[in-house]
Amino acid sequence: MSQEIINKLREDAGEIFMAGLRAVDPIYAVKRVLKLENSTLEINGRMYDLNLYDRILVLGAGKAGASMSRAVEEVMGDIITFGHVNIKYGHFDKVNKIALHEASHPTPDSAGLHGAKIIYDTLRNTNEKDLIIFLLSGGGSALLPLPAGEISLTEKQQATSLLLSCGATIQEINTIRKHISLLKGGQLAEAAYPATIVTLIISDVIGDPLDAIASGPTVPDPTTFKECISVLKKYDILDKIPKSVIEHINKGVNGFIRETPKSDEKVFDKVQNVIIASNMEAFKASKEKTVELGYNTLILSTMIEGETRDVAKVHTAIAKEILKSGNPVKRPACILSGGETTVTINGNGLGGRNQEFVLASAIEISGLDNVVVFSGATDGTDGPTDSAGAVADGFTVKKAIGLNMDPLEYLMNNDSYHFFINMGDLITTGPTNTNVMDVRIIIVV
Amino acid sequence: MSQEIINKLREDAGEIFMAGLRAVDPIYAVKRVLKLENSTLEINGRMYDLNLYDRILVLGAGKAGASMSRAVEEVMGDIITFGHVNIKYGHFDKVNKIALHEASHPTPDSAGLHGAKIIYDTLRNTNEKDLIIFLLSGGGSALLPLPAGEISLTEKQQATSLLLSCGATIQEINTIRKHISLLKGGQLAEAAYPATIVTLIISDVIGDPLDAIASGPTVPDPTTFKECISVLKKYDILDKIPKSVIEHINKGVNGFIRETPKSDEKVFDKVQNVIIASNMEAFKASKEKTVELGYNTLILSTMIEGETRDVAKVHTAIAKEILKSGNPVKRPACILSGGETTVTINGNGLGGRNQEFVLASAIEISGLDNVVVFSGATDGTDGPTDSAGAVADGFTVKKAIGLNMDPLEYLMNNDSYHFFINMGDLITTGPTNTNVMDVRIIIVV
């Protein structure tokens, strides 16, 4: 196959990726679900008669908060009463009415705490004549820190660090975090009741579980104070966790403070949670583009996890099967695969999970003249690099050897960034202000 | 979902597996491609007029050799002139005309060498009036050991061990093995020329590459003596490899002995290589069964490799996506996946790659009430156990915890065998006399 055709396939992969990215751009995603016509606000098909509300408040937290705010203002600027959204330092956008409140991520700081208090106080002073548009995106948990009871922000962080280091699962950690916070685990909805809340969500969690994205502030919490004690006992850290945390949990167990709200409680009667951007939303748009380009497309899964180089082996095994037997899809074929893999670092190179995926795949497809592998992070930042990902084909290994680079050596050293920068095969998008995990694209013709 | 329905799904998985096994049973597989009518032998659609041949010889090597021999006798017993097939110690079957010659596997021994010499001498004394049916299956390389030149069997094995320990790839090892043997890499076809050869092959190699299965005795060899030197230099073992090996390779480089035969040589004019059983042959039959049972079925790949527990994560991510969005295939869905994964042993338990796959999957699908995961080795022997594999569902973890077993602990200890024996979820078939790697079955309803 000529270099010209391979270049066309690489271009196709790039276009397919960009089509996905556009669909999960916060501005585009907000405007897709939020429509204002006369005095009716339509949100994802549900109608809100604005004559029933005295005030429209825009609140929120997350790394995409600035862009989401701008989009909301562009749709309904005039009718917003006021707004306050916690964002990450430096992630500004053009807004007029909504106050963007900068704070620290991933480690919360006092600025975040201050912003969270403003939001909490605002919510506590709403009534049934208020409509709240709540903007939630990745980082929304760290950017909305409000410890419960006598717990300080530092003690809350100590508890989280301790849980992380003892091997607790993310579910177990979230069980505790929801019970030592004032806004997580449905408590934001509780604070706002009986106001109406619509939460617009950009999902950066595998499987889009509403109760896990930014710790589900407007979603019923299935976990309990009792379960918190079980977790602390399981990892034998009852006497290591800060005293204020234990005391708070014990108060909950003994009924002195309220449980987080459960699914049958009325506080959720006036809540609408809408995922406006997710890995699947990106895939829907990417798939449309692939069809336009003439591919037979299979969405493998948006929930892929696991060690990157082994995940790559499964993907390239599918590519080889397509070549050999036309299973699981006939050529010209495109496989879309999402989620977020992990990299166990054994070397001292520079790279990210997407670049490492493409490097490991390049080794597996070496010599096949009709396969292109592309992988990119939708936030534009793959690991600690300034690149979103990389692209490779069946000639990549040969070309690398010609440049005196041993691909396997780069892989073993977790140095995919330097491999692809030398090859000229890095994908660079700049920050996209969104994050719906990764998009992997395998093209086989 | 009721236990009754789950039990039905588990039964379905078992039936789907057994349908695949039956299709790759050596007896069935030989009879499917080998048809005798009057004086015409039809092999996979090609006709052989038996009036043109004075003798019909059945030769071969491999672990399925006994069953394959029996099947050939059942089809054309009377017309076989004589036969000799090297098999593994103890792997007998009922035959009359064909001599079954027992030898050692995986480490070759003098019995294997003796049998290989008989085959070589037989081939050297054939002519164009001879038709040779050659029966090849897994283990055929170790069971057909015939070092070239002055090289002893021990020296040949030393060379292989050295290459293995220095990290050479299987392709590199085969390059050398083919050049220090008398029958590998197309040389068996060369020895038989101008007789007609039909090689019936059971493939236990990922992707069914003809030149790799049992070192491709009747297949052109793309590698050269020169490449052997490159490999030895690359791993810096020129002075560690036995002298006889180096001397033989140098003779080849300098043209004193013939290169292995290449694809344009006439020795292959009268050769037909037929894969009679492979991972895909099993899948075709398994898929038929799934359709009969009402499933929408996707053959993912017959070439899956990688670390077992990460491969499991990709498979369960697909199962979860099927539940969530109906991608890549709608419910009731069945995913078939083949190849052979690896297990990095960190614990001191007992298990095999199939059992570990199912255990790792069980943890991932815990709580999902409509998923069943099944994985089995087609040779009936998963790792060093007496089981072919295991089966699990979304209740497996809960049931295990009820039995005071921690699934994650068993996984970390690579102790899937004891986990599943306690659960009563092992799959036992006994030895199947065939090997086309593994069959994984994921059912989602």
Side-chain angles (χ1 to χ4, degrees):
Chain A
M1 194 157 291
S2 72
Q3 191 58 43
E4 208 172 312
I5 295 175
I6 284 285
N7 287 345
K8 170 70 172 66
L9 301 183
R10 286 166 157 261
E11 265 173 44
D12 283 1
E15 278 187 45
I16 293 163
F17 180 65
M18 290 311 295
L21 269 198
R22 275 192 298 275
V24 295
D25 174 85
I27 307 272
Y28 174 87
V30 166
K31 289 184 176 177
R32 195 169 50 79
V33 298
L34 192 71
K35 314 264 181 202
L36 179 66
E37 211 177 314
N38 301 323
S39 61
T40 300
L41 192 64
E42 179 186 343
I43 302 178
N44 205 34
R46 195 181 290 187
M47 302 297 171
Y48 294 87
D49 179 353
L50 296 182
N51 296 318
L52 302 177
Y53 300 101
D54 287 342
R55 301 191 302 171
I56 295 179
L57 312 180
V58 181
L59 304 171
K63 288 190 280 176
S67 302
M68 292 173 85
S69 295
R70 180 179 145 196
V72 171
E73 281 198 2
E74 283 177 11
V75 174
M76 43 190 280
D78 289 344
I79 59 166
I80 297 170
T81 314
F82 68 88
H84 173 105
V85 175
N86 280 9
I87 62 167
K88 186 173 173 175
Y89 285 117
H91 282 226
F92 261 108
D93 210 323
K94 278 186 294 183
V95 288
N96 296 310
K97 277 222 166 148
I98 301 168
L100 297 181
H101 182 95
E102 288 180 293
S104 165
H105 174 275
T107 306
D109 65 357
S110 59
L113 184 62
H114 180 62
K117 275 183 186 155
I118 293 173
I119 290 173
Y120 185 65
D121 290 339
T122 303
L123 291 169
R124 301 273 289 181
N125 289 299
T126 55
N127 61 50
E128 58 190 349
K129 302 283 275 178
D130 290 325
L131 171 63
I132 299 154
I133 310 289
F134 199 84
L135 308 177
L136 202 62
S137 54
S141 192
L143 289 169
L144 199 64
L146 195 57
E150 308 293 313
I151 303 164
S152 73
L153 189 56
T154 311
E155 287 164 340
K156 195 181 153 197
Q157 282 166 240
Q158 281 169 353
T160 305
S161 304
L162 187 61
L163 285 159
L164 274 170
S165 68
C166 74
T169 67
I170 185 70
Q171 286 80 9
E172 291 168 335
I173 295 173
N174 280 342
T175 297
I176 302 217
R177 279 162 52 163
K178 287 176 177 178
H179 283 88
I180 60 176
S181 302
L182 273 185
L183 289 172
K184 299 186 204 304
Q187 295 177 93
L188 194 146
E190 193 174 42
Y193 187 81
T196 298
I197 306 185
V198 181
T199 305
L200 304 183
I201 304 163
I202 297 182
S203 166
D204 66 342
V205 181
I206 283 189
D208 311 324
L210 286 175
D211 64 334
I213 303 166
S215 301
T218 56
V219 182
D221 176 26
T223 69
T224 63
F225 278 110
K226 268 196 185 161
E227 284 169 37
C228 294
I229 296 287
S230 303
V231 171
L232 298 178
K233 278 189 181 159
K234 176 173 173 187
Y235 295 102
D236 201 16
I237 49 174
L238 268 169
D239 53 354
K240 286 181 195 145
I241 210 115
K243 244 198 172 104
S244 59
V245 170
I246 289 288
E247 283 171 4
H248 183 78
I249 291 173
N250 277 331
K251 274 187 203 163
V253 170
N254 296 319
F256 296 121
I257 46 175
R258 262 180 63 72
E259 222 349 311
T260 51
K262 303 293 174 257
S263 60
D264 56 352
E265 293 188 31
K266 66 179 188 312
V267 302
F268 297 110
D269 289 353
K270 299 172 91 174
V271 175
Q272 182 187 8
N273 289 298
V274 186
I275 291 178
I276 63 165
S278 68
N279 204 259
M280 184 52 89
E281 292 301 329
F283 277 8
K284 283 181 190 164
S286 285
K287 185 170 179 180
E288 253 178 55
K289 174 58 76 177
T290 66
V291 171
E292 188 188 312
L293 291 167
Y295 292 100
N296 305 309
T297 302
L298 205 65
I299 295 178
L300 194 63
S301 177
T302 60
M303 295 181 242
I304 304 280
E305 297 176 274
E307 182 66 28
T308 303
R309 62 189 66 182
D310 294 286
V311 172
K313 277 186 185 168
V314 177
H315 283 69
T316 51
I318 297 172
K320 289 174 189 170
E321 189 65 52
I322 292 171
L323 279 176
K324 191 163 194 282
S325 75
N327 285 295
V329 62
K330 295 219 183 310
R331 290 186 279 165
C334 179
I335 300 281
L336 297 176
S337 150
E340 204 168 290
T341 63
T342 45
V343 172
T344 303
I345 309 256
N346 292 311
N348 54 15
L350 184 64
R353 56 195 185 275
N354 289 280
Q355 294 160 70
E356 179 147 323
F357 176 86
V358 177
L359 177 53
S361 296
I363 293 169
E364 297 291 330
I365 62 165
S366 175
L368 303 178
D369 61 2
N370 30 22
V371 181
V372 163
V373 175
F374 183 111
S375 188
T378 54
D379 65 357
T381 306
D382 187 32
T385 75
D386 57 6
S387 161
V391 60
D393 58 52
F395 300 113
T396 295
V397 164
K398 198 178 167 186
K399 191 175 153 201
I401 290 169
L403 296 170
N404 266 318
M405 299 195 294
D406 179 347
L408 198 58
E409 212 171 90
Y410 278 82
L411 180 62
M412 290 307 165
N413 198 28
N414 301 112
D415 202 17
S416 49
Y417 180 80
H418 290 117
F419 180 84
F420 285 115
I421 205 168
N422 290 340
M423 297 290 292
D425 285 340
L426 284 176
I427 306 299
T428 307
T429 60
T432 62
N433 298 319
T434 193
N435 182 15
V436 295
M437 299 177 287
D438 301 332
V439 170
R440 293 171 222 105
I441 302 164
I442 320 279
I443 289 180
V444 185
V445 297
Chain B
M1 195 159 289
S2 71
Q3 190 59 45
E4 207 172 310
I5 295 175
I6 283 286
N7 287 345
K8 170 70 171 65
L9 301 183
R10 286 166 157 259
E11 264 173 42
D12 284 359
E15 277 187 46
I16 293 163
F17 181 66
M18 290 313 293
L21 268 197
R22 276 192 297 277
V24 295
D25 174 85
I27 309 271
Y28 173 87
V30 165
K31 288 183 176 177
R32 194 170 50 81
V33 299
L34 193 72
K35 314 264 180 200
L36 179 65
E37 209 176 316
N38 302 323
S39 62
T40 301
L41 192 64
E42 179 186 340
I43 303 179
N44 204 33
R46 195 182 289 188
M47 303 297 173
Y48 294 87
D49 179 353
L50 296 181
N51 296 317
L52 301 177
Y53 300 101
D54 288 343
R55 303 190 303 173
I56 296 179
L57 312 180
V58 181
L59 304 170
K63 287 190 281 177
S67 302
M68 291 173 86
S69 295
R70 180 180 145 197
V72 171
E73 280 197 1
E74 284 177 11
V75 175
M76 45 189 280
D78 289 343
I79 60 167
I80 296 169
T81 313
F82 68 86
H84 173 106
V85 175
N86 280 10
I87 60 168
K88 185 173 174 174
Y89 286 116
H91 282 225
F92 262 107
D93 210 323
K94 278 184 294 184
V95 289
N96 297 309
K97 277 223 166 148
I98 300 168
L100 296 181
H101 182 94
E102 288 179 293
S104 165
H105 175 275
T107 307
D109 65 356
S110 59
L113 184 62
H114 180 62
K117 274 183 186 155
I118 294 173
I119 290 173
Y120 185 66
D121 290 341
T122 304
L123 291 169
R124 300 275 289 180
N125 289 301
T126 55
N127 61 49
E128 58 191 349
K129 302 283 275 179
D130 290 326
L131 172 62
I132 299 154
I133 310 289
F134 199 84
L135 309 177
L136 202 62
S137 54
S141 193
L143 290 168
L144 199 65
L146 197 56
E150 309 294 315
I151 303 163
S152 73
L153 189 55
T154 311
E155 288 163 339
K156 195 180 153 196
Q157 283 167 238
Q158 282 170 353
T160 305
S161 304
L162 186 61
L163 284 159
L164 275 170
S165 68
C166 73
T169 67
I170 185 69
Q171 286 80 10
E172 290 168 336
I173 295 173
N174 280 341
T175 296
I176 301 213
R177 279 160 55 162
K178 287 176 177 180
H179 284 88
I180 61 175
S181 303
L182 272 184
L183 288 172
K184 299 186 203 306
Q187 295 177 93
L188 194 147
E190 192 174 42
Y193 187 82
T196 298
I197 306 184
V198 181
T199 305
L200 304 183
I201 304 163
I202 297 182
S203 167
D204 67 342
V205 181
I206 283 189
D208 311 324
L210 286 174
D211 64 334
I213 303 167
S215 301
T218 56
V219 181
D221 176 26
T223 69
T224 64
F225 278 112
K226 268 195 183 162
E227 285 170 35
C228 294
I229 297 287
S230 302
V231 171
L232 299 178
K233 277 187 181 161
K234 175 175 174 185
Y235 296 101
D236 201 17
I237 50 174
L238 267 169
D239 53 354
K240 285 180 196 148
I241 211 116
K243 243 196 173 105
S244 60
V245 170
I246 288 288
E247 284 173 2
H248 183 78
I249 290 173
N250 276 329
K251 274 186 201 164
V253 171
N254 295 318
F256 295 121
I257 46 174
R258 263 180 62 72
E259 227 340 316
T260 51
K262 303 294 172 257
S263 60
D264 57 351
E265 294 188 30
K266 66 179 188 312
V267 302
F268 298 109
D269 290 353
K270 299 173 89 174
V271 175
Q272 181 187 8
N273 288 300
V274 186
I275 292 178
I276 64 167
S278 67
N279 204 258
M280 184 52 90
E281 292 300 329
F283 277 7
K284 282 181 190 164
S286 284
K287 184 171 179 178
E288 254 179 54
K289 174 58 76 179
T290 65
V291 171
E292 189 189 312
L293 291 168
Y295 292 101
N296 304 310
T297 303
L298 204 66
I299 295 179
L300 193 64
S301 177
T302 61
M303 294 181 242
I304 304 280
E305 298 175 273
E307 182 66 28
T308 302
R309 62 190 67 182
D310 294 287
V311 172
K313 277 186 184 166
V314 177
H315 283 69
T316 51
I318 296 172
K320 290 174 189 171
E321 189 65 51
I322 292 171
L323 279 176
K324 189 163 196 281
S325 74
N327 286 295
V329 63
K330 295 218 182 311
R331 289 186 279 164
C334 179
I335 299 282
L336 298 176
S337 151
E340 205 168 287
T341 62
T342 44
V343 173
T344 303
I345 309 257
N346 291 312
N348 55 15
L350 184 64
R353 55 194 186 276
N354 289 280
Q355 293 159 70
E356 178 146 324
F357 176 86
V358 177
L359 176 52
S361 297
I363 293 169
E364 296 290 331
I365 62 167
S366 175
L368 303 178
D369 62 0
N370 31 21
V371 181
V372 162
V373 174
F374 184 111
S375 188
T378 54
D379 65 356
T381 307
D382 186 33
T385 75
D386 57 5
S387 160
V391 61
D393 58 51
F395 301 111
T396 295
V397 164
K398 199 177 167 187
K399 191 175 153 199
I401 290 169
L403 296 170
N404 266 320
M405 299 196 293
D406 179 348
L408 197 60
E409 211 172 272
Y410 278 82
L411 180 63
M412 290 307 165
N413 197 29
N414 301 114
D415 202 17
S416 49
Y417 180 80
H418 290 117
F419 180 85
F420 286 114
I421 205 168
N422 291 340
M423 296 290 293
D425 284 339
L426 284 176
I427 305 300
T428 307
T429 60
T432 62
N433 299 319
T434 193
N435 182 15
V436 296
M437 301 175 288
D438 301 331
V439 171
R440 293 171 221 106
I441 301 163
I442 321 279
I443 289 180
V444 185
V445 299

